[in-house]
């Protein structure tokens, strides 16, 4: 699909930004496995603040109980860390006995509902052009690059040093707006992670912003970044023509992005559709798919 064909449809696609599906438990971590005993992993939590001191983060870590390899542990770094760690069961940890799990979450009770939107969405002013939402949005948004800098320059270095992580084998995982953040991170810092795992990414947010972001994106210095995109294919609701059209245009966005990324020598793209799943259910589906896949060498 050519770019001009897609751009002609973007005024409707951008409305997909209204689908701000989020994990129901993203700020609940009181009864998580991380507070119980595990025969395979020990658990820790670390606290970070934003540079301006207004946002407060809790980082959850699950570390194998055995000694790390000489090169350090491979690691999966998961956005929506509260919900991700809430969802973990011992059966999941049994599958990743040689892997560190890092959940980047929020300190409970100290973040308003807009914090996640602000952190996970990229700036919508790019190269002199503003990409407005359609319909107009009142959400606090566009702080993704600032949050990415916090992850790259403070969170990851501190966690990697304390828990002996392998800098060459780390994955960034995210769902919905988190998936959007993963793709933006790939475009802005392609050497930060070995693998970028985007679940139901909100690529149509402020469309065609992410297509323009791909146009000016950085390339990995050596080798390839692994990019995995998993997404739902919801069933159509009979008689709901607006929803049907919206989903068709969303798929157009995915198709064009996949065509571009699949042609790049610095990206190894894997994409898979899940018929019958919905935006919310893909959180668990995508989490366990990532645990099963692990981080490539």
């Amino acid at each position: 699909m050519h770019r001009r064909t897609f751009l002609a449809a973007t005024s409707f696609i951008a409305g997909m930004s209204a689908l701000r599906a989020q994990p129901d438990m993203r700020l609940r971590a009181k009864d998580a496995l991380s507070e119980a005993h595990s025969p395979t992993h020990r658990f820790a939590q670390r606290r970070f603040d934003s540079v301006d001191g207004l946002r407060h983060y809790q980082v959850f870590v699950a570390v194998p109980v055995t000694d790390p390899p000489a090169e350090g542990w491979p690691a999966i770094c998961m956005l929506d860390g509260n919900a991700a760690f809430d969802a973990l069961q011992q059966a999941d940890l049994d599958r990743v006995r040689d892997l560190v799990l890092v959940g980047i979450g929020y300190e409970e009770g100290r973040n308003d509902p807009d914090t996640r939107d602000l952190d996970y969405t990229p700036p919508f002013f790019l190269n002199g052009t503003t990409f407005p939402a359609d319909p107009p949005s009142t959400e606090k948004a566009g702080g993704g690059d600032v949050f990415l800098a916090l992850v790259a320059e403070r969170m990851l270095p501190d966690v990697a040093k304390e828990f002996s992580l392998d800098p060459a084998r780390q994955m960034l995982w995210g769902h919905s707006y988190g998936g959007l953040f993963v793709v933006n991170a790939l475009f802005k810092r392609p050497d930060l992670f070995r693998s970028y795992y985007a679940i139901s990414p909100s690529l149509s947010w402020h469309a065609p912003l992410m297509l323009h972001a791909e146009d000016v994106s950085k390339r990995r210095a050596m080798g390839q970044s692994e990019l995995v995109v998993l997404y739902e294919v919801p069933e159509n609701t009979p008689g709901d023509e607006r929803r049907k059209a919206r989903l068709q245009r969303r798929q157009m966005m995915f198709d064009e992005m996949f065509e571009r990324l699949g042609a790049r020598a610095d990206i190894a793209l894997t994409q898979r559709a899940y018929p019958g799943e919905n935006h919310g259910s893909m959180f668990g589906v995508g989490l366990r798919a990532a645990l099963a896949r692990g981080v490539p060498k």
Side-chain angles (χ1 to χ4, degrees):
M1 179 180 178
H2 295 295
R3 186 180 313 168
R4 62 176 177 271
T5 304
F6 176 80
L7 296 182
T10 55
S11 63
F12 196 100
I13 298 176
M16 286 295 292
S17 63
L19 292 182
R20 295 167 55 189
Q22 301 173 8
D24 291 339
M25 300 183 296
R26 72 181 188 276
L27 293 180
R28 183 187 65 79
K30 293 181 180 178
D31 301 315
L33 176 65
S34 58
E35 296 187 358
H37 173 73
S38 167
T40 59
H41 291 72
R42 61 184 176 90
F43 299 98
Q45 297 183 24
R46 298 294 180 265
R47 184 181 180 279
F48 295 87
D49 296 319
S50 60
V51 173
D52 59 13
L54 298 179
R55 290 170 299 285
H56 314 284
Y57 306 94
Q58 201 78 13
V59 173
F60 306 87
V61 188
V63 186
V65 295
T66 55
D67 292 332
E71 64 275 15
W73 295 113
I76 298 179
C77 301
M78 304 174 292
L79 300 169
D80 284 311
N82 307 69
F85 266 67
D86 282 347
L88 289 175
Q89 300 179 20
Q90 184 56 47
D92 299 316
L93 297 180
D94 288 339
R95 303 172 73 178
V96 291
R97 291 173 178 263
D98 298 321
L99 196 72
V100 169
L101 301 180
V102 179
I104 302 174
Y106 293 97
E107 190 173 80
E108 293 190 42
R110 298 198 63 185
N111 290 278
D112 64 71
D114 291 328
T115 299
R116 179 180 183 269
D117 297 344
L118 177 65
D119 285 341
Y120 289 2
T121 55
F124 42 90
F125 182 82
L126 182 65
N127 287 355
T129 300
T130 298
F131 295 86
D134 183 14
S137 172
T138 58
E139 65 185 335
K140 296 179 181 179
D145 287 0
V146 174
F147 183 58
L148 179 58
L150 179 68
V151 171
E153 298 166 16
R154 291 182 54 199
M155 291 183 181
L156 274 183
D158 286 5
V159 172
K161 181 178 180 180
E162 182 174 357
F163 299 103
S164 301
L165 304 188
D166 182 353
R169 294 187 63 198
Q170 296 180 21
M171 172 196 293
L172 179 63
W173 180 97
H175 167 262
S176 190
Y177 274 7
L180 174 64
F181 181 89
V182 168
V183 176
N184 184 57
L186 170 64
F187 291 167
K188 301 291 177 59
R189 297 191 184 228
D191 295 293
L192 184 58
F193 295 92
R194 172 67 178 84
S195 182
Y196 296 78
Y197 219 97
I199 310 302
S200 300
S202 302
L203 296 179
S204 52
W205 186 80
H206 285 249
L209 171 64
M210 293 308 291
L211 292 178
H212 286 265
E214 192 280 327
D215 279 338
V216 299
S217 63
K218 297 180 180 179
R219 266 50 174 176
R220 191 177 183 93
M222 295 182 61
Q224 290 183 310
S225 298
E226 179 190 53
L227 173 62
V228 178
V229 182
L230 309 181
Y231 57 99
E232 74 278 6
V233 182
E235 297 179 358
N236 287 322
T237 303
D240 191 344
E241 294 303 318
R242 291 191 63 186
R243 182 174 185 272
K244 181 179 179 179
R246 184 176 68 237
L247 293 175
Q248 289 176 340
R249 286 165 173 77
R250 170 185 179 269
Q251 189 61 47
M252 290 166 58
M253 175 66 169
F254 275 42
D255 290 344
E256 176 152 354
M257 187 66 81
F258 291 156
E259 181 179 353
R260 291 183 180 204
L261 298 178
R264 285 178 51 164
D266 64 323
I267 293 176
L269 173 66
T270 299
Q271 55 100 357
R272 179 181 173 186
Y274 286 77
E277 297 292 345
N278 60 55
H279 197 70
S281 69
M282 283 302 299
F283 185 88
V285 170
L287 176 62
R288 289 181 171 85
L291 297 179
R293 188 181 186 94
V295 186
K297 294 183 178 179

